[in-house]
Amino acid sequence: MTKPNTPAGKALTDLKIPFIEFQHASQVSSIEQAAAERNQEVSQVVRSILFRCGQGDFFMVLVAGKGKLDWKALRQHFKRSRLTTATPEEVIEVTGCPIGTVNPFNLPPEIPLLVENSVLAQPSVSLGSGVHGIAIMITTKNLLKALGTHEIGKFS
């Protein structure tokens, strides 16, 4: 097994979860490009989106492909009247990763993690690694095993 080059790869190695770090040949500018280069469908690319629901109060949602999240469902789930996506600065502060590389593997334990049902539709997926130009490719089963505490639901 090769030594991981990314924060996500290191976290998965520590958990003894199998994965592949996929190196893109050039800068990725769209989800379609990412999927094509990884020989995947767009629905196999998982986005890790960080939300703020109060001062210093965050949660993350994993959603497959171009799936649109249902803000009303998220507000109801957290019993909040207002949510926003985290700013780029907040994303780095909370996850340690810049936008476009975010993943749930090094998430602080107090941050709730939701997995949208769409993620479960594929046998394998890819997601951010913490480093631009490198993606984590993993089976959905191993992804769920690596996540620790999380909730699965319909949030789109």
Side-chain angles (χ1 to χ4, degrees):
M1 187 158 139
T2 60
K3 186 175 182 205
N5 295 311
T6 65
K10 290 177 179 104
L12 290 166
T13 298
D14 289 347
L15 293 169
K16 296 179 177 36
I17 303 281
F19 67 95
I20 295 170
E21 285 182 332
F22 179 87
Q23 176 76 53
H24 286 276
S26 62
Q27 183 176 346
V28 176
S29 58
S30 71
I31 195 169
E32 292 85 1
Q33 176 192 356
E37 289 183 12
R38 297 172 196 167
N39 199 28
Q40 292 183 315
E41 299 295 323
V42 169
S43 59
Q44 290 179 276
V45 178
V46 173
R47 295 177 295 138
S48 305
I49 304 172
L50 188 68
F51 288 86
R52 180 173 22 89
C53 53
Q55 185 64 32
D57 194 9
F58 298 93
F59 67 93
M60 182 178 282
V61 180
L62 303 185
V63 62
K66 290 181 155 186
K68 302 282 186 211
L69 291 171
D70 181 343
W71 287 69
K72 183 178 179 183
L74 292 171
R75 286 192 301 272
Q76 288 175 341
H77 183 81
F78 286 104
K79 297 174 179 53
R80 300 292 180 115
S81 60
R82 189 164 182 259
L83 302 172
T84 60
T85 53
T87 66
E89 295 78 19
E90 290 170 328
V91 170
I92 291 172
E93 183 180 319
V94 172
T95 69
C97 302
I99 289 177
T101 73
V102 176
N103 63 78
F105 304 121
N106 292 307
L107 203 59
E110 68 274 8
I111 306 289
L113 178 60
L114 305 179
V115 178
E116 212 295 312
N117 284 335
S118 60
V119 173
L120 307 179
Q122 300 291 337
S124 63
V125 295
S126 62
L127 63 165
S129 68
V131 175
H132 284 290
I134 303 176
I136 295 295
M137 299 182 74
I138 189 169
T139 66
T140 305
K141 179 181 174 185
N142 283 334
L143 169 64
L144 294 176
K145 193 185 307 181
L147 293 180
T149 304
H150 62 279
E151 287 183 66
I152 297 171
K154 181 155 177 44
F155 305 106
S156 63

